[in-house]
């Protein structure tokens, strides 16, 4: 079945449309949504079948997938990430919501994909009202991976929701049009050693929060 294209106002997302997206997630569906950087593909982090479907779209094995989780705020993070010290948490409070992916040791609660226990987990709290309201209403983080032009060209992202819809309409259940997306991904920061090691420089500048 072809996907639905749902237009949602980025600044003031209507509750009925947010609930429409949440219903898709609860049924194990895949959604494409805007963030504060590039558009992402996501699903319920606890729905193994949905995660496997997402991995097939991306051409990756679930047990090897470096999938990030999108949280509504910092309160969810300690459920899935282990060993967050007070100084690290203070930096997170300043930097989030924002265009960062923070990598931590995975807690025992982090879901297993492909039957493999995760060693690390990437956490996102994007500065985007649409996806944060979806996650808040859903009550559980969603898996996040970026929408690329092709998986071979790692740095090219599709920014036009209509083009994203044309490309993915037969692969996902719902595409949100929240306006044009960016083409610079999030900055990835590794916090597993209680430090802030830059893995990928993206839109966010972590130095201004340290």
């Amino acid at each position: 079945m072809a996907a639905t294209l749902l237009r949602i106002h980025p600044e003031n997302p209507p509750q009925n449309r947010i609930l429409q997206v949440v219903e898709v997630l609860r049924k194990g569906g895949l959604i494409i949504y805007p963030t504060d950087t590039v558009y992402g593909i996501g699903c319920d982090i606890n729905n193994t079948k949905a995660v496997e479907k997402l991995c097939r779209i991306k051409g990756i094995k679930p047990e090897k997938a470096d999938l990030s989780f999108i949280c509504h705020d910092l309160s969810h993070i300690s459920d899935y990430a282990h060993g967050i010290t007070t100084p690290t948490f203070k930096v997170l409070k300043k930097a989030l919501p924002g265009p960062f992916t923070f990598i931590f040791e995975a807690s025992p609660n982090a879901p297993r994909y492909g039957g493999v226990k995760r060693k690390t987990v990437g956490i996102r709290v994007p500065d985007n009202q649409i996806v944060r309201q979806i996650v808040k209403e859903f009550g559980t983080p969603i898996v996040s991976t970026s929408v690329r032009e092709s998986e071979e060209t790692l740095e090219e992202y599709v920014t036009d929701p209509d083009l994203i819809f044309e490309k993915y309409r037969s692969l996902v259940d719902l595409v949100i049009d929240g306006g044009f997306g960016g083409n610079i991904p999030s900055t990835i920061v590794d916090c597993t050693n209680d430090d802030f090691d830059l893995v990928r420089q993206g839109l966010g500048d972590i130095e201004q929060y340290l």
Side-chain angles (χ1 to χ4, degrees):
M1 194 174 79
T4 304
L5 180 64
L6 186 66
R7 300 188 195 282
I8 299 182
H9 194 283
E11 302 301 325
N12 193 14
Q15 179 73 354
N16 64 329
R17 300 210 167 188
I18 295 295
L19 291 173
Q20 197 175 330
V21 180
V22 168
E23 189 62 26
V24 171
L25 289 169
R26 288 200 173 123
K27 290 178 177 175
L30 266 59
I31 66 168
I32 292 181
Y33 52 86
T35 71
D36 51 357
T37 58
V38 300
Y39 266 81
I41 309 179
C43 61
D44 178 357
I45 63 168
N46 296 312
N47 189 314
T48 306
K49 283 188 176 176
V51 173
E52 286 171 355
K53 184 180 175 186
L54 184 146
C55 288
R56 281 199 299 276
I57 291 171
K58 297 285 286 186
I60 50 180
K61 293 181 178 179
E63 63 271 20
K64 294 186 176 176
D66 288 326
L67 301 169
S68 302
F69 297 165
I70 287 195
C71 300
H72 169 254
D73 58 23
L74 294 176
S75 63
H76 264 140
I77 291 179
S78 58
D79 294 341
Y80 304 100
H82 182 66
I84 303 176
T85 62
T86 301
T88 299
F89 191 77
K90 284 180 178 174
V91 173
L92 296 187
K93 274 188 81 168
K94 287 189 282 186
L96 298 175
F100 297 97
T101 301
F102 290 103
I103 299 172
F104 295 100
E105 282 182 35
S107 79
N109 295 333
R112 295 172 178 235
Y113 301 135
V116 175
K117 185 182 184 305
R118 303 171 68 85
K119 290 181 180 173
T120 60
V121 61
I123 299 291
R124 281 271 278 133
V125 183
D127 189 9
N128 179 280
Q129 282 298 320
I130 295 173
V131 72
R132 285 182 66 219
Q133 288 303 318
I134 290 166
V135 171
K136 183 181 182 184
E137 195 64 49
F138 187 47
T140 303
I142 61 172
V143 165
S144 173
T145 182
S146 54
V147 175
R148 291 202 175 103
E149 187 64 53
S150 79
E151 291 311 311
E152 285 73 45
T153 54
L154 295 184
E155 296 306 323
E156 288 187 28
Y157 301 91
V158 195
T159 60
D160 183 338
D162 289 322
L163 293 179
I164 292 172
F165 181 64
E166 287 307 314
K167 181 172 179 177
Y168 286 93
R169 62 191 302 172
S170 63
L171 299 172
V172 302
D173 300 278
L174 186 142
V175 177
I176 296 169
D177 177 354
F180 272 80
N183 59 5
I184 301 173
S186 65
T187 294
I188 301 177
V189 183
D190 187 341
C191 301
T192 54
N193 295 319
D194 201 22
D195 205 353
F196 293 88
D197 295 325
L198 189 65
V199 177
R200 177 184 73 189
Q201 182 62 58
L203 190 61
D205 175 14
I206 193 61
E207 290 295 326
Q208 70 184 84
Y209 301 106
L210 299 181

